Amino acid sequence: MTSDKVVACIIGTRPEAIKMAPVISAMKESSAFRCVVVTTGQHRELLNQMLEKLDIQPDHHLDLMTEGQGLSDLFARMLPGLETVFAKERVDVVLAQGDTATTFCAALAAFHQKIPFGHIEAGLRTNDLLNPFPEEGYRQMVSRISRWNFAPTKSAADNLISEGVAPDRIHVTGNTGIDSLLKYAGKSPAKSLSGKRMILLTAHRRENFGEPIKAIFRAVKRVVERFDDVEVIYPVHPNPNVRELAKEMLGNHPRISLLAPLDYFQFIGAMKESTLILTDSGGIQEEAPALGKPVLVMRETTERPEAVQGGHALLVGMAESSIFYATENLLTNHKLLSAMSRSGFPFGDGNASGRILGVLLD
Ligand code: UDP
């Protein structure tokens, strides 16, 4: 690739900013590319907080989200918005990460313009189109139209091979989220708050809204009532479906702190400080093993089996009793807790962005 190649990096959500940041910064340091950063504003509030912290200055803010907008309406605005930027900047390559509406629109808009698309974090699968929804469908469709599938692990690459993706379109690179984590972990100190054992909780997935999230909250309350040396820190996602319920069900307990979303550095500090992490998030399943923190994954299935296979995580489902008993077991079984607190790197060694750039340069 010659030095005048223009690469558009598209970002719409908090995890995309975290995982694209090392790619953008490697590209800005390289004279081989001109990197154009485009944000769609899919998660405006969380995204802006992250961009500032990670020192990413977007070249184009599409700011497409409106109140109560459905996914089809979002697509109807995002596709032409992206195509206009691609034409204006004479983009040669488009890169996006993950499995959101932003990722799929970036891939589709690039496909419509016959611009090669590189998918970062390709090949994650649950093979259940409704779980996670709509992400599983988006990531499966993106793999069909990507020129480069940057798979974080060998098992993600194997998923792509088994779907018939040509091997010369697949590159195992590691996850760029680990690049970011290792870059910032040393700069994000763990601050001991109270001397109690701390459980870090995150819960926000769309498929968990309603009864499943209520079951999670009931389980958490049972845990703090069972152990008086345990406190829970919960940075609550701004989605009103989650925020109101969290306030109602967990708001009045002295050892449960409901916080606004933490910036990335504060969140890494909280992970380091925790005894264990309860989460339904994807990215946190990748980060926790690298920090040596046991994770209980409150989902029925995961597209990141490597953490479970490596003994860093347990899939505990979404029922109140299974979440409660798994947490109780971990807090009382010191052997298990210490075995799960070994650090490990099943998702990458921190050099994924360099490998991605290497493939593009080739
Ligand atoms: N994160 C953060 N602040 C928070 C909660 C999470 O910076 O209060 C980071 C976390 O370290 C991880 C990412 O956000 O890198 C995960 O985002 P999220 O759970 O929203 O998305 P998912 O990974 O499930 O797609």
Side-chain angles (χ1 to χ4, degrees), residues 13-15 18-19 43 46 49-50 99-100 135 181 202 204-205 235-237 260-268 271 279-284 286-287 299 304:
T13 65
R14 170 172 69 186
I18 292 169
K19 291 175 170 178
H43 289 169
L46 292 179
Q49 179 194 38
M50 234 12 109
D99 48 22
T100 64
E135 289 87 350
L181 183 72
T202 82
H204 72 277
R205 296 210 71 81
V236 186
H237 200 274
L262 300 178
D263 73 45
Y264 186 44
F265 306 126
Q266 292 169 326
F267 192 76
I268 295 173
M271 283 195 282
T279 192
D280 62 1
S281 153
I284 296 167
E286 297 157 351
E287 294 166 340
R299 290 164 66 165
R304 293 164 170 90

Side-chain angles (χ1 to χ4, degrees), residues 247-324:
K247 225 160 76 188
E248 186 188 316
M249 293 182 66
L250 302 175
N252 288 323
H253 198 286
R255 280 180 287 111
I256 300 178
S257 306
L258 302 182
L259 309 177
L262 300 178
D263 73 45
Y264 186 44
F265 306 126
Q266 292 169 326
F267 192 76
I268 295 173
M271 283 195 282
K272 285 165 72 174
E273 171 64 20
S274 68
T275 300
L276 66 94
I277 300 173
L278 272 175
T279 192
D280 62 1
S281 153
I284 296 167
Q285 293 175 56
E286 297 157 351
E287 294 166 340
L291 297 173
K293 296 297 169 182
V295 206
L296 298 181
V297 183
M298 300 180 294
R299 290 164 66 165
E300 299 299 346
T301 170
T302 179
E303 59 286 90
R304 293 164 170 90
E306 296 87 345
V308 177
Q309 287 154 4
H312 305 282
L314 292 173
L315 206 53
V316 300
M318 285 160 354
E320 176 188 337
S321 58
S322 62
I323 297 168
F324 171 74

Side-chain angles (χ1 to χ4, degrees), residues 46 201 203 217 234-239 242-244 246 257-261:
L46 292 179
L201 169 69
F217 291 164
Y234 179 16
V236 186
H237 200 274
N239 187 311
V242 181
R243 205 173 41 194
E244 294 309 316
S257 306
L258 302 182
L259 309 177

Side-chain angles (χ1 to χ4, degrees), residues 130-135 204-209 212 299 318:
L130 294 181
N131 203 352
F133 176 84
E135 289 87 350
H204 72 277
R205 296 210 71 81
R206 191 189 289 254
E207 354 29 291
N208 285 357
F209 291 171
R299 290 164 66 165
M318 285 160 354

